[in-house]
Amino acid sequence: MSIVTKLRDVFLRLRSGAIEVSNHRYERVAREICELGKDHHSLSDEDLRTYCARQKQQIAENGPAPHLATFFALVNEVAHRTVGMRPYDVQVIAAVALQQGKMVEMRTGEGKTLAAVAPVCLHAIADRGSHVLTFNDYLAQRDAEWMGPIYEFMGFSVGFVAQGMSPEQRRAAYACDVTYVTAKEVVFDYLRDQLCYRVSDQVQRGFYFAIIDEADSMVIDEARIPLVIAGEDNREESDLYRFADHIRKLTPEDHYSIQQGMRNVNFSAAGLDLLQHRLNCGDLFDESNIDLLTRLNLALQAETLLKKDVDYIV
């Protein structure tokens, strides 16, 4: 490497901060993986399965660091035998970087799906769930079925979650060693689990490790869209009209005040006293009236701060 090239790399590193412009540190490990892989070519399928089980046991006991290259070479050989795909150097490099917690940029067609398999398998050994977050339901099902033979050969169960599945199907998929699922489905399942009264009704078993496909879209573009789930409310809709009617009878300044340029509104002591008398509910700040006070505050905000055809339309 010339001095000019070295200086250019140094300046690029200074400009780009945490972005790595050289793959040298990963290429060394990738070469070791490829060399070790040659030892597996002559093994029979049965011997290869036995070797897989032994490697998984050693990693479970000693941690992944001492066995990473050997295990990745093993996954590459299994991929070749089961789905007819032996990872290229660029895919091996990506797998090593992903295992180290890096965000990897790969061009279209370079094989992100296969590159993720080795680190996913490595973390699946912990038996705590290894997730692959895909961009849509189609990819979740396709990739789970496509890469499934690799996982199954190595003794891992694999499943996928898609829209329209029943709670029982989702629970079974999340219980697998490897689960392919979209970020949206994971979030909504998490929110629904928080509404369950019994642990047995929940579908997820907690989170341990995940690889994100299309990370730029998920953690930047999609992350700006909040995902919210609403619980059921069996109270009569007429309550809303009743509260709104009470609020309309209040007088500004006497019963409530607006501050900070029409951004905040609060009841006055006189306003609260009047509402307590009209609703015959006792102290609104009593624990049993917290929900009632919340609904009255929302009614006050809607009546005084929000204007039809300006802040909302019907």
Side-chain angles (χ1 to χ4, degrees):
M1 182 182 292
S2 68
I3 295 177
V4 174
T5 304
K6 289 182 178 179
L7 288 174
R8 184 191 63 188
D9 285 349
V10 170
F11 283 120
L12 283 173
R13 286 176 180 273
L14 290 174
R15 290 183 58 191
S16 59
I19 298 176
E20 297 188 41
V21 296
S22 173
N23 290 327
H24 293 323
R25 58 185 297 194
Y26 307 111
E27 289 171 350
R28 178 182 56 80
V29 182
R31 285 194 295 269
E32 182 183 358
I33 291 171
C34 292
E35 284 299 316
L36 289 170
K38 296 176 182 178
D39 299 336
H40 305 323
H41 297 345
S42 60
L43 294 176
S44 66
D45 286 355
E46 189 60 34
D47 288 340
L48 195 61
R49 284 192 175 90
T50 302
Y51 191 48
C52 285
R54 188 162 63 247
Q55 280 294 309
K56 287 164 61 179
Q57 181 65 30
Q58 290 177 348
I59 291 172
E61 293 175 353
N62 306 317
H67 309 282
L68 187 142
T70 302
F71 187 77
F72 276 29
L74 189 59
V75 176
N76 292 351
E77 179 64 25
V78 172
H80 176 66
R81 296 195 187 190
T82 55
V83 298
M85 301 169 65
R86 188 180 298 279
Y88 293 106
D89 290 348
V90 66
Q91 292 170 302
V92 178
I93 291 171
V96 174
L98 286 171
Q99 167 57 25
Q100 295 183 9
K102 305 294 184 180
M103 184 178 290
V104 178
E105 181 181 7
M106 299 181 71
R107 295 184 178 89
T108 302
E110 285 188 329
K112 294 179 293 182
T113 303
L114 183 59
V117 171
V120 167
C121 285
L122 188 63
H123 286 276
I125 294 173
D127 194 28
R128 294 174 60 186
S130 194
H131 293 68
V132 182
L133 303 185
T134 62
F135 189 68
N136 56 46
D137 288 345
Y138 165 75
L139 291 176
Q141 180 174 357
R142 186 205 69 176
D143 293 352
E145 294 174 348
W146 188 14
M147 298 293 106
I150 304 175
Y151 298 120
E152 290 167 0
F153 187 100
M154 300 194 68
F156 297 117
S157 56
V158 59
F160 68 91
V161 177
Q163 188 174 8
M165 280 186 167
S166 67
E168 291 75 18
Q169 292 173 314
R170 291 171 182 271
R171 191 176 298 110
Y174 284 118
C176 290
D177 297 312
V178 179
T179 306
Y180 284 78
V181 57
T182 65
K184 183 177 70 173
E185 290 298 322
V186 168
V187 172
F188 278 127
D189 282 334
Y190 174 80
L191 293 174
R192 280 190 287 263
D193 278 356
Q194 305 313 301
L195 299 176
C196 293
Y197 291 104
R198 296 177 298 182
V199 175
S200 60
D201 291 334
Q202 297 180 342
V203 299
Q204 295 177 336
R205 58 165 173 165
F207 305 108
Y208 173 65
F209 174 79
I211 285 182
I212 304 175
D213 190 11
E214 302 290 351
D216 53 345
S217 175
M218 286 197 192
V219 303
I220 299 175
D221 301 330
E222 298 294 329
R224 295 182 297 177
I225 304 172
L227 300 179
V228 180
I229 189 168
E232 295 183 0
D233 191 344
N234 297 320
R235 286 168 292 195
E236 296 182 3
E237 189 177 346
S238 60
D239 283 351
L240 301 176
Y241 294 100
R242 183 164 63 93
F243 295 148
D245 185 56
H246 282 300
I247 296 300
R248 293 189 189 102
K249 295 175 181 178
L250 300 182
T251 306
E253 303 302 330
D254 293 333
H255 300 129
Y256 61 85
S257 59
I258 300 174
Q259 301 93 20
Q260 297 181 359
M262 297 291 292
R263 294 180 63 88
N264 290 308
V265 60
N266 295 296
F267 287 113
S268 66
L272 291 171
D273 288 340
L274 182 60
L275 288 172
Q276 288 172 176
H277 174 72
R278 290 179 175 175
L279 294 171
N280 193 27
C281 61
D283 185 1
L284 278 170
F285 288 99
D286 186 80
E287 185 176 353
S288 61
N289 285 327
I290 291 300
D291 184 67
L292 174 59
L293 180 60
T294 299
R295 291 162 72 85
L296 288 170
N297 272 297
L298 291 174
L300 178 66
Q301 293 173 28
E303 183 64 28
T304 59
L305 303 183
L306 305 181
K307 305 301 178 185
K308 184 178 178 181
D309 298 325
V310 175
D311 299 297
Y312 68 93
I313 60 174
V314 178

